[in-house]
Amino acid sequence: MGSLLTTIRSLYGMTEKMTLALIYGSARQGRFCDTVASWLIRELEASDVFSLTIIDPVRMKSARGDKPAQPAEWMERKVAEADAFIVITPEYNHGYPAALKEMIDAVYEPWHAKPVAFVSYGGSSGGIRAVEQLRQVFGELHAVTLRDGISFAKAWSKFDAAGNLYKPEEMRAPLFLMIDRLTWWARTLKHARKATPYNEIAA
């Protein structure tokens, strides 16, 4: 990963780190999302392109689960500060979780003109039906979704008890491709937003 990101930085002349937000898609107790997210964080933590931040629906709920633990401004600030996103989502009953939809819908303009990639997991489908539905949601938010992503079919059989992939080398090629293209979109759209604020285009 380090050599790949170094190559990307040299290709695009990157000197300033961008902010990559990892969005946890599940708020269920005992969720598998933490295992997948921890693997992704380990792969990305040495990045010299992105600084990582976490957006977790659990942080938006109190211990009772019925009141926001953080004000709405927290979510808006986190999305506004990010240059790119990776959504880590399971597939529940052929769809994505309600907690993820609630979190996405809490913000509007800060999503505009920013790239979104997906890491999904589930049973035989690997969560791809949830991802296809999320593409429609993010399209309405004027975000750019990437074609390339990661999908873990029968995800529970891919990781050991410590959260390590049994065959990590199989996932590195698709991960490198996803990060390569996410980096391109993040840098390109960041420059575009600076040149012309997105909300001024049709003003």
Side-chain angles (χ1 to χ4, degrees):
M1 175 64 73
S3 60
L4 171 77
L5 295 176
T6 299
T7 301
I8 294 171
R9 182 179 63 176
S10 64
L11 285 173
Y12 297 109
M14 299 175 186
T15 56
E16 178 186 355
K17 278 193 175 184
M18 296 179 289
T19 299
L20 172 59
L22 305 184
I23 301 177
Y24 288 40
S26 173
R28 283 186 179 179
Q29 186 174 7
R31 62 187 182 180
F32 196 72
C33 186
D34 291 307
T35 297
V36 179
S38 294
W39 162 77
L40 186 59
I41 290 169
R42 288 194 298 271
E43 293 288 342
L44 297 176
E45 62 186 357
S47 171
D48 53 3
V49 174
F50 290 115
S51 295
L52 302 183
T53 187
I54 304 298
I55 300 178
D56 188 342
V58 171
R59 293 192 59 183
M60 300 294 289
K61 300 293 182 180
S62 66
R64 287 182 173 182
D66 57 0
K67 294 181 181 179
Q70 300 280 355
E73 290 79 7
W74 177 83
M75 180 64 184
E76 185 162 352
R77 176 176 56 83
K78 295 286 280 187
V79 175
E81 291 174 349
D83 299 299
F85 306 91
I86 297 178
V87 178
I88 306 162
T89 184
E91 183 178 307
Y92 294 164
N93 302 317
H94 285 213
Y96 56 90
L100 178 56
K101 184 65 161 68
E102 180 182 12
M103 195 164 58
I104 292 170
D105 288 348
V107 180
Y108 183 61
E109 286 193 8
W111 294 112
H112 289 183
K114 293 181 180 179
V116 182
F118 300 98
V119 173
S120 64
Y121 62 95
S124 59
S125 73
I128 59 174
R129 288 173 292 214
V131 169
E132 289 308 306
Q133 293 170 27
L134 284 166
R135 292 187 190 282
Q136 298 177 62
V137 174
F138 280 107
E140 186 66 18
L141 293 168
H142 300 263
V144 177
T145 60
L146 272 65
R147 173 189 179 279
D148 301 287
I150 304 292
S151 175
F152 290 104
K154 299 180 180 178
W156 301 269
S157 67
K158 307 293 186 183
F159 294 83
D160 64 22
N164 300 307
L165 280 172
Y166 286 115
K167 298 180 179 179
E169 65 282 354
E170 291 184 357
M171 302 309 300
R172 292 215 168 102
L175 176 61
F176 289 177
L177 178 61
M178 182 184 76
I179 295 301
D180 188 349
R181 291 187 169 156
L182 185 64
T183 300
W184 187 92
W185 277 108
R187 181 63 62 184
T188 300
L189 291 174
K190 184 172 185 176
H191 286 165
R193 292 194 307 273
K194 286 183 177 180
T196 306
Y198 187 79
N199 61 3
E200 293 181 4
I201 294 174

